[in-house]
Amino acid sequence: MVDTEGRRGSGSADPGPLGVIAGNGNLPAELVAAVRATGRPVVLVAIRGESDPALDGLGARWVEWGQVGKLFGVLRREGVHDIVLIGGVAKRPDFKSVVSDFETLKRLPRILSTMIGGDDSVLTRVLRLVEDEGFRILGAQDVAPGLLAGIGVLGRERPGERDERDIRLCRAVITALGPYDVGQAAVAMDGRVVAIEAAEGTDAMLARVTEARAARRISAKGTVGVLVKGPKPGQDLRVDLPTIGRKTIDAVKAAGLAGIAVEAGRVLIADRAATIAAADQAGLFLIGYKVGRAD
Amino acid sequence: MVDTEGRRGSGSADPGPLGVIAGNGNLPAELVAAVRATGRPVVLVAIRGESDPALDGLGARWVEWGQVGKLFGVLRREGVHDIVLIGGVAKRPDFKSVVSDFETLKRLPRILSTMIGGDDSVLTRVLRLVEDEGFRILGAQDVAPGLLAGIGVLGRERPGERDERDIRLCRAVITALGPYDVGQAAVAMDGRVVAIEAAEGTDAMLARVTEARAARRISAKGTVGVLVKGPKPGQDLRVDLPTIGRKTIDAVKAAGLAGIAVEAGRVLIADRAATIAAADQAGLFLIGYKVGRAD
């Protein structure tokens, strides 16, 4: 079995099937395929209106946003103890959809206290809610480490010296912001930090770099600059891993940057082969760096 | 006279008229009025297409963007030694407009080397160009300190405890980013940093907070959060002072924030009376903090 530290136990009991709760995008399907390839059965739960309809082909059970009770019931009946939550969540459930079954109604006080309050801790409270039901939450890196960025050059292109300097600058900024739980990504161009991500997300940050260059508020010429992305120091790596994919490649290309550096082992690459191929085709470098190493 | 440290000399020679080179907005007119009120004459140079046409009423001489030579000539003939550059610059001059007079043509190699290169140092090189012509550049704070934010509560409203915490958080973020020459402003909401300014400017940063709240990517309810703004540690305070004005008040109100904190003595308030009145009317606090003090 694989525990949360990612070590393999020796001769321990059957961990049972893995429960996978799927958000949107391709990552849930990739994770299911990777886990099943190791021989571990998967119980896949998809959320209507959120998960990819193609998950039907992988035997997904569909629940509504509000059927938390049904969700737990399905998982428990199948003997699931370990759960992975994977894929983004675009839609926030409204109150009505949250009370759509009796099992959920019973849990309503707890669910409400989970939904109310500051944004940053909702995730933590959701995790506690799931753990209080007796489940253990694993991260994608625990069950399918192959989905994460590795160390070094991942595609064909390599960063130049100017790029290396920009990467170091962004990493320094991300590290400086660590204590304040902000700064999952940054963009630097030729020695100047031009964008720092806070609540807006990486795509929105890249879009504003594109706009700023078009409006000539950033005067750097040609293909220059880097996107650096990695988790914040306090981030819960079980559910909130930073992710890049083909959309990221397109946005970085549109912003006229030279490439992307992500923290190795802590950033998911969605649709890995296609994403790396897209980076190659766009002429962008894509590298994984290890925190604690000089580069 | 007033030197760059803002101290008054005793019995020194007449410093001559102050040259004021006006960018856009109201600040140039306010500065001219403030300086003339002290008895010092002002030679006001306005840039066509950039400065407020109303500066005509203050006796402005108009130059084109490219008439750098004419500009220096006007100032020198009037006995100007000290220059203040004030107001924003929205338009970058194109090459053609830069070589529109003979005096400028003579300086072309120097001007070109000023225009070419990374964005962040252009300003520094422009300053060197002006200083090489024998002028001294002063900051608005040296000649009209009344235009800058003072210490403490500037309007009617006061920050609450939650606001004070958000202000401390933003100030910590701005301080942490200091070594990297980025982070002139930040927004925090109830303990969470939601936006950090890099190359995009304060208005764009506030607009994205407004959008994120409308899209419910930030779930904070009601009027909550602060904008904190101050210069970066390495910023040249003679030409690049952060500024707030009525537009800032409107944008902060639209973002649903509770108020604004600016570094006292280092942030200009354009249209001061109207800006503070607008903050009062919007129910926003507006305070000046002193770096080095606890609050």
Side-chain angles (χ1 to χ4, degrees), chain A residues 136-284:
Chain A
R136 181 171 71 146
I137 298 171
L138 299 180
Q141 68 278 21
D142 300 320
V143 295
L147 300 185
L148 283 95
I151 299 177
V153 177
L154 304 177
R156 206 170 48 203
E157 304 294 330
R158 295 174 168 278
E161 272 181 39
R162 185 172 63 172
D163 305 321
E164 297 279 11
R165 277 196 301 273
D166 284 341
I167 292 169
R168 281 195 295 272
L169 177 58
C170 285
R171 286 184 56 184
V173 162
I174 289 173
T175 302
L177 288 173
Y180 311 106
D181 194 31
V182 65
Q184 189 169 274
V187 173
M189 276 185 190
D190 203 11
R192 181 185 177 205
V193 180
V194 296
I196 299 172
E197 180 181 336
E200 72 274 24
T202 305
D203 291 342
M205 178 186 65
L206 289 168
R208 91 174 163 262
V209 175
T210 305
E211 280 164 32
R213 293 190 83 169
R216 298 179 63 201
R217 286 196 310 276
I218 301 172
S219 66
K221 301 275 188 303
T223 300
V224 57
V226 302
L227 165 69
V228 177
K229 186 166 182 174
K232 299 173 284 185
Q235 207 159 317
D236 191 324
L237 298 179
R238 295 174 304 166
V239 288
D240 197 19
L241 277 180
T243 302
I244 62 164
R246 279 175 298 178
K247 243 171 77 180
T248 318
I249 303 293
D250 292 346
V252 164
K253 178 74 178 171
L257 306 184
I260 303 170
V262 296
E263 187 178 339
R266 298 190 169 200
V267 173
L268 285 163
I269 304 184
D271 216 346
R272 187 186 193 83
T275 297
I276 293 174
D280 286 347
Q281 197 174 353
L284 303 176

Side-chain angles (χ1 to χ4, degrees), chain A residues 65 68 72 85 92-93 95 98 104 107-133, chain B residues 219 221:
Chain A
W65 244 129
V68 176
F72 290 145
L85 295 93
R92 281 168 184 270
F95 183 81
V98 164
T104 302
R107 293 177 177 85
L108 194 57
R110 189 64 203 277
I111 292 171
L112 281 180
S113 80
T114 298
M115 291 182 68
I116 297 167
D119 194 84
D120 219 357
S121 53
V122 167
L123 196 60
T124 310
R125 279 174 280 158
V126 168
L127 294 184
R128 243 189 336 255
L129 178 72
V130 175
E131 286 171 334
D132 282 357
E133 294 280 335
Chain B
S219 67
K221 303 274 187 301

Side-chain angles (χ1 to χ4, degrees), chain B residues 101-123:
Chain B
D101 70 354
F102 179 68
E103 284 299 309
T104 302
L105 253 179
K106 285 198 302 185
R107 294 176 176 85
L108 195 57
R110 190 65 203 278
I111 291 171
L112 281 180
S113 79
T114 298
M115 291 181 69
I116 296 167
D119 194 84
D120 219 357
S121 53
V122 167
L123 196 60

Side-chain angles (χ1 to χ4, degrees), chain B residues 110 113-114 118-132 137 181 234-236 238-240:
Chain B
R110 190 65 203 278
S113 79
T114 298
D119 194 84
D120 219 357
S121 53
V122 167
L123 196 60
T124 311
R125 279 174 280 157
V126 168
L127 294 185
R128 245 192 330 257
L129 179 72
V130 175
E131 287 171 335
D132 283 358
I137 298 171
D181 194 30
Q235 206 159 317
D236 191 324
R238 296 175 303 167
V239 288
D240 197 19

Side-chain angles (χ1 to χ4, degrees), chain B residues 125-269:
Chain B
R125 279 174 280 157
V126 168
L127 294 185
R128 245 192 330 257
L129 179 72
V130 175
E131 287 171 335
D132 283 358
E133 294 280 335
F135 297 102
R136 180 171 72 147
I137 298 171
L138 300 179
Q141 68 278 20
D142 300 321
V143 296
L147 300 185
L148 283 93
I151 298 177
V153 177
L154 304 177
R156 205 170 46 203
E157 304 294 330
R158 296 174 167 275
E161 272 181 39
R162 185 171 64 170
D163 305 321
E164 296 279 11
R165 278 195 302 273
D166 285 341
I167 293 169
R168 282 195 295 271
L169 177 58
C170 285
R171 286 183 56 184
V173 163
I174 289 172
T175 302
L177 288 173
Y180 311 106
D181 194 30
V182 64
Q184 190 169 271
V187 173
M189 274 186 192
D190 204 11
R192 181 184 178 206
V193 179
V194 296
I196 299 172
E197 180 183 336
E200 72 274 22
T202 305
D203 291 342
M205 178 187 65
L206 289 168
R208 89 174 165 263
V209 174
T210 306
E211 281 164 32
R213 293 191 83 167
R216 298 180 63 202
R217 286 196 310 276
I218 301 172
S219 67
K221 303 274 187 301
T223 300
V224 57
V226 301
L227 164 69
V228 177
K229 186 166 183 175
K232 298 173 286 185
Q235 206 159 317
D236 191 324
L237 298 179
R238 296 175 303 167
V239 288
D240 197 19
L241 276 180
T243 303
I244 62 165
R246 278 176 297 179
K247 243 171 78 181
T248 318
I249 303 293
D250 293 345
V252 164
K253 177 74 179 172
L257 307 183
I260 303 170
V262 296
E263 187 179 338
R266 298 190 170 201
V267 173
L268 285 163
I269 304 184

